[in-house]
Amino acid sequence: MKNSLKVWRAKKDITQEQLAMEMEVTRQTINAIERGKYDPSIKLAFKMARFFECSIEDIFFYE
Amino acid sequence: MKNSLKVWRAKKDITQEQLAMEMEVTRQTINAIERGKYDPSIKLAFKMARFFECSIEDIFFYE
DNA sequence: ACATAATGTCATGTTTACTTTACATTGTGA
DNA sequence: TCACAATGTAAAGTAAACATGACATTATGT
């Protein structure tokens, strides 16, 4: 599973830490997901999509 | 998090067990998700959306 | 060059998605 | 009614998402 989190974050010009606060997770979680270390939970994915005003499929790519 | 899995399953007229086999998870996992016992992983959500030819947001509802 | 912000990374622990096994209940067709 | 398919449920274990704390590396501005 890949993602374009870094791009969406760049669009809003916010840091990993700022996004982490908005999502109510830690900076390490954002960093790990962004670097593909593991996938987000569906709840976090929904939260991100809502924050970036897009769909989950716009951020995360399955296969 | 709510979902309309039961409806999508009804549309395709398949059992929990058949869906489980398609998704490569157990029947209990499908049952638990359908009954709201816990949320699917984002991978499983993607797999379901692909199977039902819709978006994740068409099946799962956040808040 | 230096300070500091941002990001990368690692170890340890908790929570939750998911498995396995097993049994109970409900629906359905003959 | 009776067999059996489908669904509900529960205990115990595994795997992966996420937390916490700590430290290292890489930007970036002055």
Side-chain angles (χ1 to χ4, degrees):
Chain A
M1 175 109 86
K2 297 199 171 181
N3 69 76
S4 55
L5 247 186
K6 199 171 183 173
V7 176
W8 285 98
R9 203 162 53 72
K11 276 188 192 172
K12 283 228 173 186
D13 192 28
I14 56 173
T15 67
Q16 291 183 346
E17 185 142 41
Q18 287 172 328
L19 179 58
M21 288 198 307
E22 293 282 352
M23 299 298 102
E24 295 176 295
V25 295
T26 64
R27 178 180 69 82
Q28 286 84 342
T29 292
I30 299 297
N31 184 271
I33 292 170
E34 208 163 283
R35 304 191 60 258
K37 205 170 176 188
Y38 51 69
D39 299 327
S41 67
I42 195 172
K43 279 184 185 174
L44 181 49
F46 261 109
K47 233 175 169 179
M48 286 178 170
R50 187 161 297 180
F51 179 74
F52 290 120
E53 296 174 286
C54 65
S55 72
I56 289 177
E57 290 87 347
D58 286 333
I59 310 176
F60 300 96
F61 315 106
Y62 182 64
E63 279 186 23
Chain B
M1 175 108 85
K2 296 198 171 183
N3 69 76
S4 56
L5 247 186
K6 200 171 182 174
V7 176
W8 286 98
R9 201 162 53 72
K11 276 187 192 172
K12 283 228 174 188
D13 192 28
I14 57 173
T15 67
Q16 291 183 346
E17 185 142 42
Q18 287 172 328
L19 179 59
M21 288 197 308
E22 292 282 352
M23 299 299 102
E24 295 175 295
V25 294
T26 62
R27 178 180 69 80
Q28 286 82 344
T29 292
I30 299 297
N31 185 272
I33 292 170
E34 207 163 285
R35 303 192 60 257
K37 203 171 178 186
Y38 50 70
D39 299 326
S41 67
I42 195 172
K43 279 184 185 173
L44 181 49
F46 261 110
K47 232 175 169 181
M48 285 179 173
R50 185 160 300 180
F51 179 73
F52 290 120
E53 296 175 284
C54 65
S55 72
I56 288 176
E57 290 88 348
D58 286 333
I59 309 176
F60 299 97
F61 315 107
Y62 182 63
E63 278 185 23

